[in-house]
Amino acid sequence: MLYPKPIRKGDCVAILSPATEVRKEFVDGAESFLRRRGYEVAVMPSALGPAEGSFASSLKNRLNDIESALRDDSVKAILCARGGYGCVHLLQHMPLQFIREHAKWIVGFSDVSALHALWQSAGVASVHGPMAKHLATEGDDDPCSELLMQILEGRPEYEVAAASSPYNRRGKGKGVLRGGNLAVLNGLASTPYDLMDLKDGEDVVLFIEDISEAIYAVERMLFRLFLSGAFGRVKGLIVGQFTEYRPDRNHGSMEEMIDSFLSRCGIEGLPVVFGFPVGHVSDNRPLIEGARVELSVSEDSSVLKVMTI
């Protein structure tokens, strides 16, 4: 796994919109945040349109923006302005060798999980973390934004703690951190970018989150993972924030369903933390995809320790 070079004051950060269109005030706010931190900012030509349907711009324009940002030696990191559907359009047009030869930090979450899968397939670390709206609205002293800048500036060792949950399962596990938006990653199953193909290779600590997915739909995705044999390599499970869903006749909450799923499938001896601060919420802690991590879950505390490779 290749870690992109740290960014330094005066370096340029590119802001682009690889998927859904984004409000101008969020891009402007993120640009102001980065400039206050001492960075130059390049808002890529199609970051603010012209929109094509729900997409920020045409596929050609979105692809040109991300390829140009990678080729430009003055650009040291890429901030995705927004998720929303559309990142999957880019994957087949970006060779893995091209990503590796122009390795740079890319930041985002939600549908940007597709780009994290691309970066991981190329063997390049990336940051699952806050995007333009967060940087524009949460303030300069926001802990998620602070941690994001710490990572980008070359301090990738840190810890994230989570509140206790009655569903937590105690234990300790080590592995490479992988994950993101469950529906997006599930949609890449059996492709060259299948981040969840864990039957072979190194041990993994897996994190998942999602928004507006029915409980049964999330359970179906988890069963696909289980039936594929992926859980054989999972040494720790981080259940992030699942938001904007309703209880159903089978389960009162997503947490209850996931706990039941683990028991039903006989997945035991695995440290599991629920309610981790990652996902479509304001407390969305940045996580380094591809980092070596240790998850420790005890009766009183849950801590993810992110280490360098």
Side-chain angles (χ1 to χ4, degrees), residues 205-280:
V205 172
L206 178 65
F207 73 96
I208 55 175
E209 63 84 26
D210 220 315
I211 184 172
S212 299
E213 289 289 342
I215 293 176
Y216 78 87
V218 172
E219 183 185 54
R220 182 164 54 199
M221 295 177 210
L222 291 175
F223 263 102
R224 187 200 69 76
L225 270 180
F226 172 71
L227 294 173
S228 75
F231 274 95
R233 307 303 305 181
V234 174
K235 302 304 178 184
L237 178 62
I238 297 170
V239 180
Q241 303 295 311
F242 284 78
T243 56
E244 298 184 21
Y245 72 90
R246 292 182 295 179
D248 63 22
R249 294 170 61 187
N250 298 311
H251 301 287
S253 70
M254 198 70 74
E255 291 79 9
E256 178 187 320
M257 180 277 291
I258 294 174
D259 183 65
S260 174
F261 159 80
L262 293 170
S263 297
R264 184 181 304 175
C265 294
I267 302 173
E268 304 292 345
L270 186 72
V272 182
V273 56
F274 285 80
F276 197 82
V278 62
H280 292 73

Side-chain angles (χ1 to χ4, degrees), residues 25-301:
E25 59 263 36
F26 295 152
V27 173
D28 291 345
E31 179 181 2
S32 296
F33 171 86
L34 290 166
R35 289 191 183 280
R36 289 194 299 273
R37 301 289 298 224
Y39 294 96
E40 297 297 317
V41 178
V43 177
M44 300 305 288
S46 302
L48 293 170
E52 184 175 272
S54 65
F55 305 114
S57 195
S58 67
L59 170 58
K60 180 180 179 180
N61 289 345
R62 287 180 285 139
L63 188 60
N64 283 342
D65 278 0
I66 194 167
E67 288 182 341
S68 296
L70 286 168
R71 286 196 179 98
D72 188 340
D73 291 338
S74 70
V75 171
K76 303 302 182 184
I78 297 170
L79 173 69
C80 295
R82 186 186 171 183
Y85 177 70
C87 288
V88 70
H89 298 161
L90 307 174
L91 302 190
Q92 64 178 317
H93 302 288
M94 301 181 67
L96 301 183
Q97 188 61 31
F98 174 72
I99 301 297
R100 192 165 179 88
E101 288 176 354
H102 301 277
K104 296 176 183 180
W105 288 115
I106 190 167
V107 181
F109 74 106
S110 190
D111 199 69
V112 179
S113 292
L115 296 182
H116 291 310
L118 175 63
W119 256 242
Q120 291 294 289
S121 298
V124 180
S126 57
V127 182
H128 181 282
M131 295 184 285
K133 181 180 179 181
H134 188 107
L135 299 184
T137 61
E138 293 295 330
D140 285 5
D141 58 352
D142 172 71
C144 300
S145 303
E146 285 290 338
L147 183 53
L148 172 61
M149 299 311 298
Q150 172 187 318
I151 294 168
L152 296 180
E153 291 169 355
R155 292 166 287 162
E157 294 185 344
Y158 61 96
E159 295 182 356
V160 178
S164 62
S165 165
Y167 295 106
N168 283 356
R169 299 187 175 203
R170 289 177 287 181
K172 183 177 291 188
K174 293 182 179 180
V176 174
L177 186 64
R178 289 188 183 176
N181 183 269
L182 183 59
V184 172
L185 297 179
N186 186 68
L188 294 174
S190 300
T191 73
Y193 318 103
D194 188 353
L195 198 64
M196 315 294 260
D197 184 5
L198 309 177
K199 295 185 294 296
D200 302 307
E202 54 202 353
D203 294 338
V204 166
V205 172
L206 178 65
F207 73 96
I208 55 175
E209 63 84 26
D210 220 315
I211 184 172
S212 299
E213 289 289 342
I215 293 176
Y216 78 87
V218 172
E219 183 185 54
R220 182 164 54 199
M221 295 177 210
L222 291 175
F223 263 102
R224 187 200 69 76
L225 270 180
F226 172 71
L227 294 173
S228 75
F231 274 95
R233 307 303 305 181
V234 174
K235 302 304 178 184
L237 178 62
I238 297 170
V239 180
Q241 303 295 311
F242 284 78
T243 56
E244 298 184 21
Y245 72 90
R246 292 182 295 179
D248 63 22
R249 294 170 61 187
N250 298 311
H251 301 287
S253 70
M254 198 70 74
E255 291 79 9
E256 178 187 320
M257 180 277 291
I258 294 174
D259 183 65
S260 174
F261 159 80
L262 293 170
S263 297
R264 184 181 304 175
C265 294
I267 302 173
E268 304 292 345
L270 186 72
V272 182
V273 56
F274 285 80
F276 197 82
V278 62
H280 292 73
V281 291
S282 59
D283 191 8
N284 179 24
R285 302 301 170 107
L287 298 176
I288 303 176
E289 302 258 13
R292 298 208 63 82
V293 299
E294 178 180 85
L295 177 64
S296 300
V297 183
S298 67
E299 185 174 351
D300 301 321
S301 66

